[in-house]
Amino acid sequence: FQMDTTQESYLDLFPLDAIVYLTPDSENVLEDIDPSKVYVLGGLVDESIHKKLTLQRAQEQSLQTARLPIREYMVKTVNTKNYHSETLAINQVFDVLSTYYETRSWPAALKAGVSSGKGYVLPDAVKE
């Protein structure tokens, strides 16, 4: 993948209706990647997780939102900390999206990007 960096805001570079802000708090599930859309990953970099902050920012900017289909394809695993999070690092989201783009398989993509430490696994990985 070729990437360019700029100091300019995505709001100044692309039409609002072309931007999809990825946030784990969205009610909209990302079902497919649309090549005509621009996906915002890691719109906020923060050391702590602030619930719905990214969703709020996207709504303030009148942007479409979506979340990765973690709940649709993965199951919560039993873990000692009872920890389950759909919040991923930028590189994990990128791994999910790039794997999905190559394979067109959400299970393969989520396996590539969602570490077991997040408390989610593919159903076939659950040990009975």
Side-chain angles (χ1 to χ4, degrees):
F1 293 93
Q2 180 180 347
M3 290 187 202
D4 293 320
T5 60
T6 180
Q7 295 295 321
E8 294 179 78
S9 168
Y10 52 85
L11 297 171
D12 297 329
L13 294 172
F14 306 102
L16 289 182
D17 62 351
I19 301 172
V20 179
Y21 201 112
L22 296 179
T23 170
D25 300 310
S26 179
E27 293 180 10
N28 307 314
V29 178
L30 184 64
E31 295 179 15
D32 199 6
I33 295 173
D34 181 344
S36 69
K37 299 288 185 185
V38 175
Y39 296 91
V40 176
L41 315 184
L44 294 175
V45 178
D46 199 319
E47 293 300 317
S48 59
I49 296 172
H50 296 282
K51 249 347 211 171
K52 301 197 178 184
L53 191 60
T54 53
L55 179 63
Q56 180 183 343
R57 174 177 274 186
Q59 290 170 335
E60 288 169 357
Q61 296 172 341
S62 301
L63 300 174
Q64 301 169 69
T65 63
R67 64 175 173 79
L68 296 176
I70 294 172
R71 286 178 240 158
E72 287 70 21
Y73 289 92
M74 301 185 92
V75 295
K76 289 182 179 181
T77 185
V78 177
N79 59 57
T80 56
K81 296 179 183 175
N82 196 27
Y83 175 77
H84 302 91
S85 176
E86 294 179 50
T87 302
L88 305 178
I90 295 169
N91 62 306
Q92 293 171 312
V93 176
F94 183 82
D95 288 346
V96 169
L97 294 176
S98 61
T99 303
Y100 176 77
Y101 189 77
E102 292 171 14
T103 65
R104 292 295 191 226
S105 165
W106 281 118
L110 294 167
K111 184 177 181 179
V114 180
S115 70
S116 60
K118 291 291 180 178
Y120 286 90
V121 294
L122 293 173
D124 61 3
V126 176
K127 295 178 178 78
E128 302 279 333

